[in-house]
Amino acid sequence: MVIFNAGFPGQNTRDALKRFPDAVASHAPDCVVLLFGTNDLLNSWNYTGEEEYRRNLKTLAEQCLALPASLILCQIPLACQTYMESRHKPGFFQEISALERCRKANAVIAGLAQELSVPLVPVADLLGIPGEDSASLIRNPANSGDADGVHPTAHGYAKIAAAVAAAVRRLPRRPHRIVCFGDSITFGLHMRGGGTSAADAECYPGQLARLLR
């Protein structure tokens, strides 16, 4: 089995549509794990808005299925209001909070999974509401020295990888070439082996590779 980490930090679904031929189709996958939405709805510097996000995500999903490949949709982690406010444009999270933006994205993803009858990995439920203590599965000053508020810890990535592995094992046919397509959540920002599926990588594609091999 071969697993490709096609995560690119900072990118939204608009960027993903442009990258699809090289990042996904060129690998001839028989399974794609799709995780987008954090930048579309939470990144004040690369925001698309809910309606464009919905259209783009559906197009990406349909392109994956047309390869043809099995498709697994992942919801996005919940984000911490305190740290997101400090990293983005002033006022961006005042009218709509970080948690509410995450929930809007996850409602879109869940709706699309139901519409297309494809597996859904409930990442937000797995990682929970991010706290400010060391037990949080989202990076913060207490667990990583970083006022991040949106990217998982290595333990958080382990939970994502385990859930994705379970979804892969439930597919009607076991895939041999899996592309994990997404933004910095998939890339594994700040993690050892980020952007790879190397044997010692802490990002979820790397941990997924170990589980499935």
Side-chain angles (χ1 to χ4, degrees), residues 4-88:
F4 301 93
N5 185 338
F8 290 77
Q11 297 202 333
N12 59 28
T13 51
R14 189 185 304 155
D15 302 313
L17 287 169
K18 296 175 184 176
R19 290 199 295 111
F20 187 86
D22 290 335
V24 179
S26 66
H27 295 300
D30 47 9
C31 178
V32 179
V33 183
L34 196 61
L35 201 172
F36 276 101
T38 298
N39 290 302
D40 287 88
L41 295 190
L42 282 91
N43 188 338
S44 61
W45 313 103
N46 205 14
Y47 177 76
T48 63
E50 187 176 349
E51 290 310 310
E52 182 181 353
Y53 170 59
R54 189 190 311 273
R55 290 194 306 271
N56 291 348
L57 189 67
K58 183 175 182 179
T59 299
L60 286 168
E62 291 172 339
Q63 288 179 340
C64 293
L65 293 170
L67 286 172
S70 298
L71 175 65
I72 297 171
L73 288 175
C74 295
Q75 292 181 314
I76 67 172
L78 299 179
C80 179
Q81 179 82 9
T82 301
Y83 304 127
M84 295 302 284
E85 282 183 351
S86 69
R87 295 172 50 204
H88 289 276

Side-chain angles (χ1 to χ4, degrees), residues 33-167:
V33 183
L34 196 61
L35 201 172
F36 276 101
T38 298
N39 290 302
D40 287 88
L41 295 190
L42 282 91
N43 188 338
S44 61
W45 313 103
N46 205 14
Y47 177 76
T48 63
E50 187 176 349
E51 290 310 310
E52 182 181 353
Y53 170 59
R54 189 190 311 273
R55 290 194 306 271
N56 291 348
L57 189 67
K58 183 175 182 179
T59 299
L60 286 168
E62 291 172 339
Q63 288 179 340
C64 293
L65 293 170
L67 286 172
S70 298
L71 175 65
I72 297 171
L73 288 175
C74 295
Q75 292 181 314
I76 67 172
L78 299 179
C80 179
Q81 179 82 9
T82 301
Y83 304 127
M84 295 302 284
E85 282 183 351
S86 69
R87 295 172 50 204
H88 289 276
K89 294 178 182 179
F92 184 72
F93 291 102
Q94 294 306 305
E95 185 174 346
I96 305 177
S97 71
L99 282 177
E100 182 59 25
R101 289 178 184 276
C102 292
R103 288 171 176 147
K104 284 178 178 290
N106 285 337
V108 169
I109 300 164
L112 184 60
Q114 183 175 20
E115 178 183 344
L116 299 177
S117 298
V118 300
L120 175 70
V121 176
V123 171
D125 291 343
L126 294 172
L127 304 189
I129 295 176
E132 299 186 34
D133 60 6
S134 60
S136 176
L137 297 178
I138 300 297
R139 289 168 59 85
N140 63 29
N143 61 29
S144 64
D146 185 8
D148 183 304
V150 70
H151 295 97
T153 62
H155 186 42
Y157 276 120
K159 286 184 171 289
I160 297 173
V164 173

